[in-house]
Amino acid sequence: MAIDPVCGMQVDEKTALSAVRDGQTYYFCCPHCRDKFLGVAPQSSHGHHGEPGQLVSLGAPPARAAAKSAAYFCPMCAGVESDRPGACPKCGMALEAAAPARAASKRVYVCPMHPQIEQDGPGSCPICGMDLELKFVQSTPDEHEDDELRAMTRRFWAALALGLPVLLLAMLPMLGADLQAFLSPDLSLWLQLLLTTPVVLWGGSIFFVRAFNSLRSWNLNMFTLIALGVGAAYGYSVAAVLIPDAFPDSFREHGHVMVYFEAAAMITVLVLLGQVLELRARRRTAGAIRELMSLAPPTARVVRNGQEIEVPLEEVQTGDVLRVRPGDKIAVDGKVIEGKSSVDESMITGEPIPVSKQLGDEVIGGTVNQTGSFLMRAERVGAETVLSQIVDMVAQAQRSRAPIQRVADVAASYFVPAVVFVAAVTFVTWATVGPEPRLANALVNSVAVLIIACPCALGLATPMSIMVGVGRGAREGILIKSAEVLEILQKVDTLVVDKTGTLTEGRPKLTEIGAAASFNEERLLSLAAALESHSEHPLARAVVEMARQRKLKLPPVEDFDSTTGGGVAGRVDGTRVVIGTPDFLKGQGISGWDSLLARAAERQERGQTVIFMGVDGAAAGLLAVSDPIKPTTPAAIESLHRMGLRVMMLTGDNARTARSVARELHLDDFEAELKPADKHRRIAALRAEGHVVAMAGDGINDAPALAEADVGIAMGTGSDVAIESADVTLVKGDLRGLVRSIQLSRRVIRNIYQNLFFAFVYNVLGVPLAAGVLYPVFGLLLSPMVAAAAMSFSSVSVIANALRLRTTRL
């Protein structure tokens, strides 16, 4: 059997399509994979490419244009993509339209407060009115667009330059300055009108547009209140200048109609300042995404027709041969096909020691080549690379919604109408019973209520903490799939762990071969390694590795069959071979293995895992495998216990080995000899008892239990199926990451509660103060300008509190 270099599928060399490149023969499951590998247009069924087993001799593929993202893909078969709808050439399923995140050049814009609002281009959110920001791009980080920040900054500085003279013209006479020597009162009013008009109508135009949209869709938001407040102050003041005789005495003070140009102008300036500070802070929350994306190099050296050509990263395609020189960042995921080197993979594994790479070894895009030069073949490019998938997962998690956010959403939905009602009551109260000028005071205080009560801080309280927290986790090698997971994680009281690959190294070594009397040890190892070479289990790899070390020739395998949690069976060189647990061997009709149990028990008491082997219906021997406990596991278990968690182990291994490991690590409980369905049922039972359960595992057999748990945690060194089934992935494959993830979860949720408290308390105290409840006792009133400053900096304070998570110690 061979491996299709495009999709990774196992194919039979006798019947598969094949092609020769650079003197090496490759085998393919279908014409689509072969043509994609060779870089040629698909051939018709009448062409010379159609016969299985036929060799097509080609050199390096010709230079190709920039890669275009496929519009359709098969949901079942990796690597099957097409630019048009149709059926999968492998499984026959209809191709599905690709999601936006799959497209290399796709830009998706999303609301930071309402992640369900997405569109292909920039704009504003129809719910809250905030500018949409770039969600995720498969490109270099310096391509992030800052148009919103630049535009808002220009508006702020222009509004400030025009607004300050208005403030001086209005306030200096109140401070005792005599401006009448230079300006008459009428000229001062006209200057204020002239300077305030561009501030409000240009600088604040975005507020009015968003307020209009909010009224049209009846999604009242912060811009509704700002537009009402600024519009009322400005419109009243314009009317007072143009038609002063139309106003009654209740609007006059010392015979003059009061104007509030300085309030309208400075509210606009302060709200714009708050928006600028908020946008800058929001950019910092996306720092984790930019840091991850910067790991990928902008270009790659592709070898075509014997020449090295430097091309943009997006032009690299599956099957390309790349040259990686010392010090280079590896562009995409692939395999070494020539040369050897050592590679710094710390960005993925967290291990500072470089990893040796030689022919056939996998390399990961974004890691750094150290000493040697080598050629590699690209296997996963664009959105398929490990780095891109990590970036995508972090971006999706940052935009997800935590259940706790529903509290803020419900409050905000009632908040704006309530504030408008309070402002109306404030106006009526001051106009009816307030001191003179009654209507002027009524207007000022109702505007102050509208401005100070903007619910922006309430809306930002949860998403800002989630964005920063998920990014912080990514830097620690903790990939969290959603905000809901982050919230549930801090409630976990029971942690269930698998043994192999989770508590242990996951790289077991075959330490002993116990052959039955009628079998030869070397023959036994040869048969076992041939059969186990088709299995993904860590124990299988240990058997195959020992055969390679002894340079044994592996005979061909037929009728291979694998039973998850049981074992493997097949015909090796004409001999029926079965390897697995005693129950599995019994089910396969193997007899005489009872004599091996005593020999196995001794090894199991020492913590070794024993697998049994039968040949042609008779017990043939046993294989003892040792998988040492990770050096970091005891300290991690101790930390979890200190955090109040109950830790138990569920394993498919035998009871004696499990007991030895549980005793050494001081686990609270363990269960052994479990099949995947048993683990799934045990997790369900724990949840039914009222426990909040997290499950950590790394194998295919752990996937059902990971999916059943409240939070599934996959070790990044494990199988793709386990990682897909999990809610949290520990990239470094270390349980210390689980300790950090729970600490992070608790701190993020605490941070969210702090933000919600600040936002609620601010509004509860600010609205009555702006309405003038302290005036009868202390004679205190809140200026609309002070209200605008308080409103702007309340949002900034919430974001600043969220940003503290970036430096929190885990």
Side-chain angles (χ1 to χ4, degrees):
M1 303 291 285
I3 302 296
D4 186 320
V6 175
C7 67
M9 185 177 179
Q10 283 192 336
V11 293
D12 191 335
E13 295 180 4
K14 298 177 181 178
T15 59
L17 294 170
S18 58
V20 175
R21 181 194 287 174
D22 302 328
Q24 184 172 353
T25 302
Y26 299 90
Y27 297 90
F28 307 91
C29 65
C30 66
H32 175 86
C33 286
R34 183 199 52 213
D35 292 339
K36 186 173 182 180
F37 178 77
L38 297 174
V40 298
Q43 303 293 316
S44 69
S45 59
H46 303 291
H48 64 278
H49 292 298
E51 296 300 323
Q54 183 174 354
L55 295 180
V56 182
S57 182
L58 290 176
R64 284 163 284 187
K68 294 183 179 179
S69 59
Y72 297 88
F73 71 101
C74 176
M76 294 291 292
C77 305
V80 176
E81 297 179 344
S82 174
D83 294 332
R84 58 182 60 87
C88 173
K90 294 183 184 178
C91 65
M93 287 188 66
L95 300 182
E96 293 184 359
R102 293 176 61 86
S105 60
K106 186 75 170 180
R107 288 175 178 266
V108 178
Y109 290 80
V110 65
C111 174
M113 285 169 55
H114 301 90
Q116 71 272 27
I117 303 299
E118 291 187 1
Q119 64 184 45
D120 295 340
S124 60
C125 174
I127 298 177
C128 66
M130 294 184 69
D131 273 280
L132 303 182
E133 60 185 28
L134 205 55
K135 173 184 178 183
F136 176 69
V137 288
Q138 284 288 349
S139 58
T140 53
D142 58 353
E143 291 184 21
H144 276 280
E145 297 179 353
D146 295 322
D147 292 344
E148 181 190 2
L149 178 58
R150 285 195 294 267
M152 200 69 74
T153 303
R154 283 196 302 269
R155 288 176 185 269
F156 165 70
W157 286 113
L160 180 64
L162 296 172
L164 281 178
V166 176
L167 180 64
L168 293 174
L169 288 171
M171 302 304 293
L172 286 178
M174 298 180 185
L175 298 175
D178 185 10
L179 294 182
Q180 293 191 14
F182 307 98
L183 292 172
S184 67
D186 288 341
L187 182 56
S188 176
L189 291 177
W190 281 98
L191 278 176
Q192 291 181 52
L193 171 60
L194 184 66
L195 293 170
T196 304
T197 297
V199 172
V200 173
L201 299 186
W202 176 74
S205 61
I206 54 173
F207 307 148
F208 292 101
V209 170
R210 295 174 184 179
F212 175 75
N213 291 333
S214 74
L215 291 170
R216 187 174 58 181
S217 63
W218 206 244
N219 286 304
L220 305 182
N221 54 52
M222 63 172 285
F223 295 104
T224 314
L225 301 180
I226 292 171
L228 285 173
V230 173
Y234 175 74
Y236 159 79
S237 300
V238 170
V241 173
L242 297 179
I243 48 173
D245 295 337
F247 289 84
D249 292 340
S250 55
F251 277 101
R252 299 175 186 270
E253 188 173 24
H254 305 301
H256 298 284
V257 179
M258 301 294 293
V259 294
Y260 299 101
F261 285 119
E262 82 285 357
M266 294 313 295
I267 288 171
T268 303
V269 169
L270 289 167
V271 174
L272 286 171
L273 174 61
Q275 292 287 294
V276 169
L277 295 175
E278 181 184 312
L279 287 170
R280 288 182 176 175
R282 275 163 50 190
R283 276 186 52 78
R284 291 177 64 191
T285 65
I289 293 289
R290 289 193 295 275
E291 288 175 20
L292 288 170
M293 292 177 66
S294 67
L295 295 173
T299 61
R301 294 186 182 90
V302 180
V303 180
R304 291 175 179 163
N305 299 320
Q307 300 292 321
E308 292 184 16
I309 305 170
E310 190 163 344
V311 302
L313 181 62
E314 58 267 21
E315 292 188 18
V316 178
Q317 296 189 7
T318 302
D320 279 341
V321 176
L322 310 181
R323 167 68 68 183
V324 183
R325 297 176 180 174
D328 283 355
K329 285 185 178 180
I330 297 171
V332 296
D333 300 356
K335 284 187 178 179
V336 177
I337 59 173
E338 181 183 304
K340 60 182 180 179
S341 182
S342 57
V343 176
D344 178 3
E345 294 186 340
S346 58
M347 74 98 174
I348 292 291
T349 64
E351 297 296 333
I353 302 175
V355 180
S356 176
K357 299 292 182 182
Q358 53 191 354
L359 184 66
D361 287 344
E362 290 189 357
V363 289
I364 300 171
T367 57
V368 182
N369 185 31
Q370 297 284 293
T371 54
S373 175
F374 61 87
L375 290 177
M376 62 169 286
R377 192 176 305 283
E379 294 189 339
R380 292 182 295 276
V381 302
E384 297 176 350
T385 65
V386 170
L387 179 59
S388 292
Q389 290 172 1
I390 290 174
V391 171
D392 196 20
M393 183 184 292
V394 173
Q396 294 289 350
Q398 286 187 331
R399 299 303 179 200
S400 60
R401 296 166 68 83
I404 193 175
Q405 191 168 341
R406 297 192 193 106
V407 177
D409 290 344
V410 171
S413 67
Y414 292 103
F415 192 76
V416 175
V419 168
V420 174
F421 175 76
V422 172
V425 171
T426 300
F427 185 90
V428 171
T429 303
W430 277 89
T432 304
V433 300
E436 296 291 348
R438 288 180 289 114
L439 292 180
N441 286 333
L443 178 67
V444 170
N445 288 296
S446 59
V447 166
V449 169
L450 291 171
I451 296 302
I452 202 169
C454 288
C456 186
L458 192 61
L460 288 171
T462 298
M464 289 298 109
S465 297
I466 293 297
M467 288 183 69
V468 179
V470 169
R472 180 75 174 89
R475 295 206 307 272
E476 293 285 337
I478 304 165
L479 303 182
I480 300 168
K481 282 192 174 180
S482 71
E484 183 176 5
V485 170
L486 195 60
E487 182 173 342
I488 295 173
L489 194 56
Q490 55 95 25
K491 302 175 183 176
V492 168
D493 58 25
T494 303
L495 173 65
V496 176
V497 293
D498 178 46
K499 182 177 75 71
T500 305
T502 303
L503 299 176
T504 63
E505 293 282 0
R507 293 189 294 270
K509 296 180 180 179
L510 183 62
T511 53
E512 186 177 349
I513 303 170
S518 57
F519 287 91
N520 175 272
E521 180 179 308
E522 191 167 292
R523 171 64 174 167
L524 206 64
L525 177 59
S526 176
L527 293 173
L531 189 61
E532 295 282 27
S533 66
H534 292 263
S535 172
E536 59 82 37
H537 199 280
L539 299 182
R541 291 197 291 270
V543 176
V544 174
E545 182 60 29
M546 178 61 73
R548 285 177 180 169
Q549 291 177 8
R550 296 190 181 186
K551 299 181 180 179
L552 299 179
K553 184 177 180 180
L554 303 185
V557 177
E558 298 176 344
D559 302 329
F560 175 81
D561 182 50
S562 175
T563 301
T564 303
V568 293
R571 191 163 294 280
V572 183
D573 201 17
T575 301
R576 177 68 177 171
V577 179
V578 180
I579 304 174
T581 64
D583 287 342
F584 181 70
L585 264 66
K586 183 187 296 184
Q588 294 288 324
I590 305 298
S591 60
W593 52 270
D594 299 88
S595 60
L596 301 174
L597 291 178
R599 297 168 60 182
E602 180 184 346
R603 293 157 179 80
Q604 290 166 348
E605 290 292 348
R606 298 199 299 264
Q608 293 179 314
T609 298
V610 177
I611 50 180
F612 296 84
M613 186 170 174
V615 175
D616 286 337
L622 55 83
L623 306 171
V625 179
S626 176
D627 186 12
I629 293 172
K630 293 177 183 178
T632 58
T633 296
I637 297 296
E638 183 180 349
S639 297
L640 291 166
H641 278 143
R642 283 201 304 268
M643 294 168 70
L645 272 70
R646 174 191 179 203
V647 184
M648 65 182 298
M649 176 176 66
L650 301 182
T651 178
D653 212 339
N654 68 86
R656 291 189 182 92
T657 302
R659 185 179 297 108
S660 173
V661 172
R663 185 170 53 243
E664 183 176 349
L665 294 175
H666 305 290
L667 301 181
D668 297 300
D669 198 2
F670 76 92
E671 293 185 28
E673 300 177 7
L674 300 178
K675 294 182 172 60
D678 298 328
K679 292 184 180 181
H680 180 274
R681 282 194 293 270
R682 190 68 184 93
I683 296 288
L686 287 169
R687 294 183 64 195
E689 293 169 8
H691 295 287
V692 181
V693 182
M695 164 73 185
D698 76 329
I700 287 177
N701 61 325
D702 296 320
L706 290 172
E708 172 63 26
D710 292 289
V711 179
I713 302 165
M715 315 305 285
T717 51
S719 70
D720 292 340
V721 175
I723 292 173
E724 282 298 316
S725 303
D727 302 304
V728 178
T729 300
L730 305 181
V731 176
K732 300 174 185 178
D734 185 341
L735 274 185
R736 289 178 302 181
L738 176 56
V739 176
R740 289 192 291 269
S741 65
I742 295 176
Q743 289 176 339
L744 176 66
S745 171
R746 292 178 177 180
R747 292 178 188 180
V748 168
I749 299 305
R750 185 165 64 241
N751 191 270
I752 290 173
Y753 280 124
Q754 291 168 354
N755 287 345
L756 289 174
F757 175 79
F758 293 152
F760 276 117
V761 169
Y762 161 80
N763 284 294
V764 167
L765 297 179
V767 171
L769 189 62
V773 294
L774 297 182
Y775 182 79
V777 180
F778 299 103
L780 294 178
L781 289 176
L782 194 65
S783 164
M785 289 183 290
V786 175
M791 181 273 297
S792 295
F793 286 101
S794 70
S795 299
V796 175
S797 66
V798 164
I799 298 176
N801 186 52
L803 287 171
R804 291 191 306 110
L805 292 169
R806 299 181 75 204
T807 55
T808 188
R809 185 176 179 181
L810 300 177

